[in-house]
Amino acid sequence: MAVGVFVASAAAVLFAAGAFEVERIRFSGLHRVSYDEALAAAGIRVGDFMGTLDAGRAEHSLEALAWIAEARVTRRWPATVDVDVVERSGAAIALAAPGSWVLVDREGRVLTAPLEAPPDLPRLSGIAAAPQPGAYLGDDADAPLAALNAARGRREFSVMALWRDQRGDLLARVRQTSSGLVIEAALGDDSAVGAKVAAIAAVIEEMSDADAVVSGVAVSDVVIDVSVPHLPVLRTLS
């Protein structure tokens, strides 16, 4: 009993004296975010007292950085702090202003300021202008993002662009994987987006590599209308 009391008392003295100070701060998972930027956001410094380190606050501050999706701060006694981060990946580019594109992830989080040379990723337009890095696209981007995510990994086609027309209906430009043909699709309103993407895939799968012409009309002049997903139709561009 006396030994237990002594150990507890000794630990209390060490804590009170600040004996356990941070000597090492180790980050893992950093690619887009620099060590210095992450360290400043975490607010952890060499010499801080291990016992009063606020891991939750550090995680929250790190996750406020545009590129960081998740952060975990762990004490490694007696003197090391490990910070593991998961960074976001660019999934599309969105308009911030006419001719000005920013990178966004699959959740619509804005990752960058306007880019001088936008990457070859799906383009989102006809929606509210993209806000500052770290913020999210507006609600009118929810359906385009849902369509983009539903199309991820599809073998039949890849998405080149998604946009809203003047009525607010959703349209897409896709490229057939097997032939490289570029085709437009009309998804209509924001309902049943996943089913509409599946309908686009089903129609494209039925097209052979030689189908540059459908019923005498060039594919470039045809729209796959999946606004009623269980009744897809091909119509000419108006």
Side-chain angles (χ1 to χ4, degrees), residues 72-202:
R72 290 291 176 266
V73 176
T74 306
R75 297 179 184 86
R76 303 292 183 192
W77 297 93
T80 299
V81 177
D82 283 341
V83 185
D84 302 307
V85 304
V86 176
E87 291 188 340
R88 298 174 183 272
S89 298
I93 55 176
L95 276 175
S100 181
W101 297 91
V102 298
L103 189 65
V104 300
D105 76 350
R106 58 182 299 188
E107 296 177 350
R109 187 164 188 171
V110 179
L111 303 178
T112 66
L115 300 164
E116 290 186 8
D120 185 17
L121 288 172
R123 298 192 168 206
L124 307 180
S125 59
I127 56 177
Q132 295 297 311
Y136 288 85
L137 297 177
D139 292 344
D140 60 350
D142 289 351
L145 288 168
L148 184 64
N149 290 326
R152 287 184 70 206
R154 299 235 49 133
R155 60 182 175 81
E156 303 87 356
F157 69 91
S158 58
V159 176
M160 300 175 64
L162 288 153
W163 70 97
R164 291 189 184 276
D165 63 16
Q166 292 181 344
R167 297 179 301 178
D169 285 346
L170 183 61
L171 297 103
R173 182 174 298 112
V174 302
R175 177 180 284 115
Q176 186 183 31
T177 303
S178 59
S179 69
L181 288 172
V182 175
I183 308 164
E184 289 196 5
L187 286 76
D189 63 23
D190 292 358
S191 65
V193 170
K196 292 172 181 177
V197 169
I200 295 171

Side-chain angles (χ1 to χ4, degrees), residues 24-61:
R24 290 174 298 279
I25 305 166
R26 303 184 301 199
F27 282 87
S28 66
L30 294 178
H31 302 285
R32 294 283 191 165
V33 179
S34 71
Y35 176 88
D36 289 343
E37 185 181 7
L39 184 63
I44 303 169
R45 297 175 301 235
V46 170
D48 285 352
F49 182 33
M50 290 280 287
T52 57
L53 188 151
D54 189 341
R57 187 207 63 78
E59 291 168 354
H60 181 75
S61 295

Side-chain angles (χ1 to χ4, degrees), residues 1-11:
M1 182 69 172
V3 173
V5 172
F6 173 77
V7 171
S9 299

Side-chain angles (χ1 to χ4, degrees), residues 210-224:
D211 277 339
V213 175
V214 178
S215 300
V217 180
V219 167
S220 59
D221 296 325
V222 168
V223 174
I224 304 173

Side-chain angles (χ1 to χ4, degrees), residues 11-29:
V13 169
L14 288 171
F15 267 70
F20 297 108
E21 293 182 347
V22 176
E23 295 179 4
R24 290 174 298 279
I25 305 166
R26 303 184 301 199
F27 282 87
S28 66

